[in-house]
Amino acid sequence: MPAHNPAEGRLTAAHGTALYVGAVLGTGVIALPALAAEVAGPASLLAWLGLAVLSAPLAAAFAALGARHPDAGGVSTYARLAFGERAAAVAGWCFYFAIPPGAVAAALFGASYVSSALGGGTVTTAITAAGLMLTVTMVNAVGLRMTGRAQFLLFLLLLALLATAVLLSLPHTRAEHLRPFAPHGWTAVGPAAALLVFSFAGWEAVTHLAGEFRRPARDLARATGAAVVIVGVLYLAVAFAVVAVLGPAAADSDAPLGDLMALGLGGGARPLAALAAVLLTLGTMNAYYAGAAKLGAALGRDGVLPAWFAQGSTAGETPRRSLFFVSALAGLALLAVTVTDTGALPAVMLSSGSFVVVYAIGVAAAIRLLPRRSAGRAAAWAALAAVLLLLALSGLYLLWPLVVSCGALLSVRRYRRRRAREQNAAVTATAAGRQELGSVRPGI
């Protein structure tokens, strides 16, 4: 492992905290409290609390890996170091193909706020979602990037939206909205937790930037601890407000934060909530598409995806082929959701199932790579137990990452065969050249 040069790092613990919170707090928080309430009622608060607690060892394990192996490859790199290129391919593919359903869910979340403010129902939602996806695709295709300052401003906008919605709506809290606490039974908490994985995805994201920290061993741990607390408090506050203020109506709400703001500021707050939701969705989807496009190009370069995807893998280039492929898959997924009228829930679960598989690979790698009796390894064991539970709760939605994993393994097998043929051809050509040279020498 190459030594880390502190002089090369620019990020501090404060920067890391902001990056972590920004990576984990996404568009899920503007819609998932209502979806979770639909699945488990007020008992969905236990799912939020449980995931907030379980995310601590998961985040700690990834932080320990990032401090010990600071590399831009993130989970894929850890999987390769621990288990070889097959595991790295599975992690890369699961991450890559989690983006299309995740992007659809994010687009539908933002679009729901627009239809809530303007009316039009499903038609407005579908058109707005398609417009958001097309906008982000074109922005990335021409090589534009949102600056770090713009992303930070969107993060502040999210915090302002959450704080406004929660604080202004709390006077409308009703104790009767918490009864019955588990209207669908206690077993419904598990499926709600599997659904909410989408909101907690992102703890692995900062590992890609571990090498950019001034002191990774110290700063990553501090950033992780602060971010876990901040994210947990914010999620629990929003989920409580949705359940305790909206009551049974939360299960039918497409724009819960808009409903909360309308209670506090009046009906005129819905357009403001819709504008904020659209801006947040554009920022989140921009990160999805930009990251997925580069990942696909890198996988094509490394032979994990077909070589056609490799265009744009060099720093500074725009990976348009990978981008358009992801965008096309997302468009097909949006069409399927619209035609079947299933809503965002299946897309969320497909994406969450893929993320859980990536996390399982990541924490297993942590157990293998981190020193025995270290705090990071202990955290990895605790995280593995939590991730295995989430895998069990994901149920049939694991079929998507299972199919994707089979594709990854077949791709590795094909790449190895092609590489072996190329090596054999090179050896044969070298031997033929030597034989030809030997047959020429006597006549010289």
Side-chain angles (χ1 to χ4, degrees), residues 251-276:
D252 301 319
S253 177
D254 292 326
L257 295 188
D259 293 341
L260 293 179
M261 292 180 68
L263 284 173
L265 296 175
R270 292 188 186 277
L272 177 62
L275 176 61

Side-chain angles (χ1 to χ4, degrees), residues 32-249:
L32 286 184
L35 290 177
E38 181 181 1
V39 172
S44 61
L45 294 174
L46 296 179
W48 284 102
L49 178 61
L51 278 177
V53 172
L54 294 177
S55 66
L58 181 66
F62 281 126
L65 276 174
R68 188 170 180 82
H69 302 281
D71 183 83
V75 177
S76 183
T77 294
Y78 309 144
R80 180 175 288 105
L81 291 174
F83 307 114
E85 60 183 20
R86 287 191 180 90
V90 169
W93 270 54
C94 284
F95 222 118
Y96 186 63
F97 288 99
I99 299 304
V104 169
L108 288 173
F109 291 158
S112 294
Y113 277 71
V114 175
S115 60
S116 176
L118 303 180
T122 304
V123 174
T124 301
T125 300
I127 293 174
T128 304
L132 290 170
M133 293 164 64
L134 181 61
T135 299
V136 174
T137 300
M138 292 300 101
V139 166
N140 279 274
V142 298
L144 296 179
R145 293 289 182 271
M146 294 187 68
T147 64
R149 181 173 296 180
Q151 291 281 15
F152 184 70
L153 289 176
L154 288 176
F155 165 64
L156 293 180
L157 175 63
L158 176 59
L159 292 184
L161 175 64
L162 297 181
T164 302
V166 171
L167 293 177
L168 294 181
S169 66
L170 283 180
H172 300 274
T173 298
R174 299 290 182 269
E176 57 267 23
H177 288 165
L178 298 176
R179 298 189 294 265
F181 191 72
H184 307 299
W186 295 104
T187 56
V189 175
L195 167 69
L196 297 178
V197 170
F198 187 85
S199 281
F200 286 87
W203 293 116
E204 82 295 332
V206 182
T207 61
H208 298 275
L209 299 174
E212 300 295 324
F213 281 83
R214 292 178 185 172
R215 301 176 182 85
R218 185 194 70 176
D219 293 341
L220 271 174
R222 292 182 176 181
T224 299
V228 165
V229 173
I230 293 171
V231 168
V233 169
L234 286 174
Y235 274 160
L236 286 170
V238 173
F240 176 79
V242 168
V243 170
V245 174
L246 299 182

Side-chain angles (χ1 to χ4, degrees), residues 60-61 64-65 68 366-367 369-381:
L65 276 174
R68 188 170 180 82
I367 292 172
L369 296 175
L370 296 176
R372 294 180 180 274
R373 299 181 180 178
S374 66
R377 198 164 189 263
W381 276 111

